[in-house]
Amino acid sequence: TVSDVLPIAEAIARRAGAVVMEGLGRARQVRQKGAIDFVTEFDQRSEELIVSALQKEFPEHAILAEETGLHPRTGEYQWVVDPIDGTTNFAHGVPLFAISLGLLRGTVPVAGVVYDPLHEEMFSAALGRGATLNGRPIRVSSQTDLGQALLATGFAYDIRTNPRNNLAQFAQFQLRTQGVRRLGSAALDCAWTALGRLDGYWEFGIKPWDVAAGGLLVREAGGRTTSTAGDEDFISPGTIIVSNGLLHEQILRVLREGDAAPLPQ
Ligand code: LIP
């Protein structure tokens, strides 16, 4: 079953986490991918370790990794790998980033791990088998009032050129919640929603490797994961909302109505 891959994926994520932790505070940009999008040597070393380990353990599985792209296979399973989710935080020495390994069957996430090596927090889930933190079951929050909710979001690397850059939505939610955090790691935004530290997270222009594992974590922790249009498939559109489920329709309404959405009484 798909849950059989979890111990292997967790062990690989831990090994990658150890490599990344060696570089905290001393990472150097080695490749500029865009105006504010770059790679450190530790992204590369982490990804090399993960990809070669996955190819050894699951030779029939394809892999899509953030830095080296697609390693195709003919089977139905594909790993999506973010060797350091929160690269910008990591490169600046900000201690908030994670390793994310998601397993897709088609575009449906069926297993995933998100590992935060700083806090030694291993988030793990398999389809239909629940979500755990360090082996203990986790559940989303029970918050029902958006006005009292703590949300997170992020901004894509094309924020300076893309008119739909999420800044308007950031302001609209700030006025309609207890607060919105921009933590810099989509994988942890999702994992913390699954754990109930956050009540929800949304982002436009997100990549499969950022959110495949995290989106499953939230579903398996009793929450809801959709695209920002409310579709079940959040991988193909490259947009996401995760929430405790109770707040999902309220979040969709603010994204749909913008400034016209009701303000808290
Ligand atoms: C990052 C995401 C973050 C998003 C950034 C970037 P990376 O992933 O975790 O939520 O806002 O634009 O995509 O590049 O650090 O793996």
Side-chain angles (χ1 to χ4, degrees):
T1 64
V2 287
S3 57
D4 295 343
V5 310
L6 289 182
I8 299 169
E10 290 178 9
I12 293 170
R14 283 189 202 287
R15 286 170 53 207
V19 166
V20 171
M21 285 299 288
E22 286 167 26
L24 184 56
R26 62 188 185 93
R28 286 177 294 102
Q29 295 184 30
V30 291
R31 186 163 63 87
Q32 191 93 13
K33 296 196 288 189
I36 53 173
D37 183 2
F38 51 86
V39 183
T40 73
E41 66 178 288
F42 294 92
D43 294 86
Q44 293 172 332
R45 286 170 54 185
S46 172
E47 185 162 311
E48 283 157 19
L49 183 157
I50 294 167
V51 169
S52 58
L54 287 174
Q55 286 173 334
K56 179 167 172 284
E57 294 288 349
F58 310 109
E60 73 286 1
H61 291 184
I63 300 172
L64 175 61
E66 180 169 14
E67 311 312 339
T68 54
L70 183 61
H71 307 251
R73 293 291 184 277
T74 53
E76 62 178 336
Y77 289 100
Q78 177 183 77
W79 289 93
V80 285
V81 173
D82 196 335
I84 304 178
D85 185 64
T87 294
T88 303
N89 285 350
F90 174 77
H92 287 265
V94 172
L96 199 63
F97 47 85
I99 317 288
S100 184
L101 279 67
L103 181 60
L104 301 179
R105 186 167 52 217
T107 60
V108 178
V110 294
V113 300
V114 172
Y115 181 51
D116 172 348
L118 275 146
H119 301 95
E120 295 182 1
E121 290 186 333
M122 179 68 75
F123 296 89
S124 197
L127 187 63
R129 306 295 293 267
T132 58
L133 166 57
N134 295 342
R136 294 188 193 84
I138 58 177
R139 295 291 295 175
V140 291
S141 74
S142 53
Q143 181 59 254
T144 56
D145 176 3
L146 186 64
Q148 299 303 315
L150 184 62
L151 303 185
T153 190
F155 302 92
Y157 287 116
D158 64 358
I159 185 173
R160 297 176 180 174
T161 53
N162 184 337
R164 192 163 188 253
N165 60 12
N166 195 30
L167 286 171
Q169 289 77 12
F170 186 69
Q172 286 150 4
F173 277 103
Q174 284 290 10
L175 295 172
R176 292 168 174 80
T177 61
Q178 190 177 65
V180 182
R181 298 290 180 266
R182 198 282 194 258
L183 298 167
S185 167
L188 288 180
D189 293 332
C190 292
W192 290 8
T193 298
L195 182 58
R197 284 179 184 156
L198 294 171
D199 301 307
Y201 152 75
W202 86 94
E203 187 162 350
F204 306 127
I206 203 71
K207 302 293 186 195
W209 47 77
D210 293 320
V211 292
L216 178 66
L217 279 169
V218 172
R219 285 175 172 166
E220 291 300 320
R224 188 173 166 201
T225 302
T226 67
S227 71
T228 52
D231 302 317
E232 285 306 296
D233 177 8
F234 62 98
I235 297 291
S236 315
T239 68
I240 190 168
I241 305 171
V242 296
S243 79
N244 64 6
L246 305 166
L247 296 168
H248 220 82
E249 290 304 322
Q250 295 172 65
I251 293 170
L252 279 165
R253 181 173 184 183
V254 176
L255 288 173
R256 209 174 33 243
E257 300 181 8
D259 292 327
L263 288 161
Q265 297 311 314

